[in-house]
């Protein structure tokens, strides 16, 4: 215990150091002899959660810290490094690493998913690569969550086919997806095009689907002859001059139905149900479109009917 002269007691009394406030107090009368006491010795800290048996012993000392209040009881809890802090830091770092790995894992899965859809539809590799590039752009923009991953992949493949002038219908692409609807693919396509054009500053040139882009593939799938395929392509080119306000899929299916009606070749006689199955249409749609095109059938199939007349 140290002693000092107390002005109030007029004697030399034992003084007490209050380390919490830095005050020097007289033990006799309680007068504060000095306030904000600064200890310029080495600053001792306890960095371990385990308390020492000896309260006067602190096992670790920091560097010298002048102008620092000497208060072990006050400063120790604030400066103590708890094990939970390190655990939290490590878990946070692991979570960041997992999120990075998870994103890359999702990208790899999406690329394989696009490749699988393209293989099932018989799409060539350059279109597959273009669809993969579109997905990576969308992944950089972070505009889609994981739930929309399948619709995004389908939209990327649909856009890539359109850009390569190898159009596939949304219905066709939906047949090779895991339960994705036409509405979801259409929304994903519109959102993707909008964000790439706005944020990336790229012009997404997507050609419109025309009947001539579809009739060859539909005819080949139905097993029709080369003459029928050529006639369908010619009719699809001519129908563009007409003001027929129907979508390209309906017109393509109706052209095939017109050829099937006028043909006498067994391989070109195709049932309307088979046409609907390949084109993804209903019989009512084809029949309504047939009413609009039947008056133009002799002109649309002029070359095809002439060849048949010569063969007779």
């Amino acid at each position: 215990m140290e002693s000092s002269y107390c002005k109030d007691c007029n004697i030399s009394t034992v003084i007490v150091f209050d380390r919490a406030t830095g005050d020097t107090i007289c033990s006799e009368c309680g007068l504060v002899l000095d306030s904000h006491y600064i200890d310029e010795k080495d600053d001792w800290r306890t960095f371990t959660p385990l308390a020492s048996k000896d309260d006067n012993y602190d096992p670790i000392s920091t560097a010298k810290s002048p102008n620092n209040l000497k208060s072990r009881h006050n400063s120790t809890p604030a400066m103590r490094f708890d094990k939970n802090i390190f655990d939290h830091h490590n878990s946070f770092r692991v979570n960041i690493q997992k999120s990075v790995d998870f994103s890359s894992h999702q990208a790899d899965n999406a690329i394989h998913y696009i490749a699988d859809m393209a293989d099932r539809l018989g799409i060539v590799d350059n279109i597959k690569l273009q669809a993969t590039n579109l997905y990576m752009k969308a992944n950089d923009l972070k505009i889609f969550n994981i739930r929309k991953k399948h619709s995004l992949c389908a939209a990327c493949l649909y856009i890539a086919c359109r850009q390569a002038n190898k159009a596939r219908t949304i219905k066709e692409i939906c047949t090779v997806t895991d339960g994705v609807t036409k509405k979801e693919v259409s929304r994903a396509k519109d959102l993707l095009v909008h964000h790439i054009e706005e944020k990336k500053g790229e012009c997404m040139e997507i050609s419109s689907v025309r009947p001539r882009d579809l009739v060859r593939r539909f005819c080949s799938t139905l097993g029709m002859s080369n003459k029928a395929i050529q006639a369908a392509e010619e009719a699809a080119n001519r129908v563009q001059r007409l003001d027929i306000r129907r979508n390209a899929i309906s017109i393509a299916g109706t052209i095939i139905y017109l050829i099937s009606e006028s043909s006498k070749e067994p391989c070109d006689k195709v049932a309307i149900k088979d046409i609907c199955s390949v084109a993804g249409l209903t019989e009512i749609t084809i029949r309504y479109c047939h009413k609009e095109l039947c008056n133009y059938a002799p002109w649309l199939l002029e070359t095809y009917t002439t060849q048949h007349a010569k063969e007779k």
Side-chain angles (χ1 to χ4, degrees):
M1 301 293 288
E2 298 183 13
S3 61
S4 180
Y5 181 78
C6 179
K7 296 180 181 179
D8 195 14
C9 299
N10 292 324
I11 57 174
S12 180
T13 61
V14 177
I15 60 175
V16 177
F17 293 105
D18 186 354
R19 300 184 183 278
T21 60
D23 295 338
T24 304
I25 305 171
C26 176
S27 60
E28 295 292 336
C29 63
L31 178 67
V32 177
L33 303 178
D34 191 11
S35 61
H36 300 293
Y37 171 76
I38 298 176
D39 189 356
E40 297 182 354
K41 298 178 182 179
D42 292 342
D43 190 16
W44 293 85
R45 297 281 194 271
T46 300
F47 290 100
T48 175
L50 300 176
S52 175
K53 295 181 180 179
D54 188 359
D55 292 336
N56 296 325
Y57 172 72
D58 290 329
I60 301 176
S61 173
T62 64
K64 292 186 178 181
S65 55
N67 299 327
N68 190 18
L69 292 177
K70 175 62 179 176
S71 177
R72 182 177 67 86
H73 299 288
N74 187 37
S75 62
T76 299
M79 296 298 295
R80 182 175 296 170
F81 287 89
D82 195 356
K83 183 180 179 181
N84 294 330
I85 297 176
F86 291 101
D87 292 341
H88 177 72
H89 174 72
N90 291 332
S91 63
F92 181 71
R93 184 181 62 184
V94 170
N95 288 336
I96 293 177
Q97 185 65 31
K98 283 183 178 179
S99 64
V100 174
D101 295 340
F102 184 72
S103 299
S104 60
H105 180 65
Q106 290 294 326
D108 292 339
N109 286 345
I111 293 171
H112 290 303
Y113 186 72
I114 292 172
D116 181 64
M117 287 192 298
D119 291 339
R120 292 169 67 182
L121 290 172
I123 296 174
V124 294
D125 291 339
N126 59 339
I127 298 178
K128 191 189 308 181
L129 179 62
Q130 178 64 17
T132 302
N133 293 335
L134 286 173
Y135 178 84
M136 298 309 296
K137 290 180 181 179
N139 192 41
D140 293 339
L141 293 175
K142 301 185 186 304
I143 57 176
F144 291 90
N145 56 30
I146 298 170
R147 294 180 182 178
K148 297 181 180 179
K149 183 190 70 172
H150 290 168
S151 61
L152 171 60
C153 294
C156 291
L157 189 59
Y158 176 74
I159 294 173
C161 291
R162 292 275 295 271
Q163 289 179 335
N165 293 324
K166 301 291 183 182
R168 296 280 179 162
T169 63
I170 294 181
K171 277 188 176 181
E172 286 180 288
I173 293 178
C174 288
T175 57
V176 294
T177 59
D178 295 335
V180 180
T181 63
K182 288 175 56 180
K183 194 172 185 180
E184 290 174 341
V185 176
S186 181
R187 284 181 178 178
K189 184 259 296 181
D190 294 338
L191 186 63
L192 178 60
V193 171
H194 172 71
H195 278 271
I196 289 180
E197 289 182 343
E198 182 179 354
K199 296 183 179 180
K200 291 280 188 180
E202 300 179 10
C203 182
M204 297 287 292
E205 296 182 358
I206 302 176
S207 61
S208 59
V209 179
R210 294 166 294 185
R212 68 181 184 184
D213 299 328
L214 303 171
V215 289
R216 171 173 283 273
R217 184 160 45 82
F218 289 170
C219 291
S220 299
T221 305
L222 291 169
M224 302 176 73
S225 65
N226 291 331
K227 291 181 179 180
I229 294 174
Q230 292 174 0
E233 288 180 334
E234 181 183 1
N237 289 328
R238 291 189 175 191
V239 81
Q240 293 181 358
R241 308 176 196 173
L242 303 176
D243 186 19
I244 305 298
R245 299 184 180 180
R246 297 279 180 176
N247 61 50
I249 305 172
S250 301
I251 294 174
T254 306
I255 288 173
I256 296 173
Y257 182 59
L258 288 173
I259 294 174
S260 177
E261 282 185 327
S262 62
S263 177
K264 295 183 179 180
E265 296 290 336
C267 61
D268 295 337
K269 287 287 186 180
V270 183
I272 189 172
K273 291 183 179 180
D274 295 333
I275 298 174
C276 293
S277 177
V278 170
L281 300 170
T282 61
E283 292 187 21
I284 297 175
T285 302
I286 292 181
R287 295 190 187 279
Y288 272 117
C289 190
H290 181 267
K291 290 181 181 180
E292 298 180 25
L293 290 179
C294 63
N295 295 330
Y296 303 100
W299 174 67
L300 293 174
L301 305 178
E302 181 180 2
T303 305
Y304 185 68
T305 54
T306 302
Q307 288 178 350
H308 275 282
K310 289 181 180 180
E311 290 177 358
K312 290 180 180 179

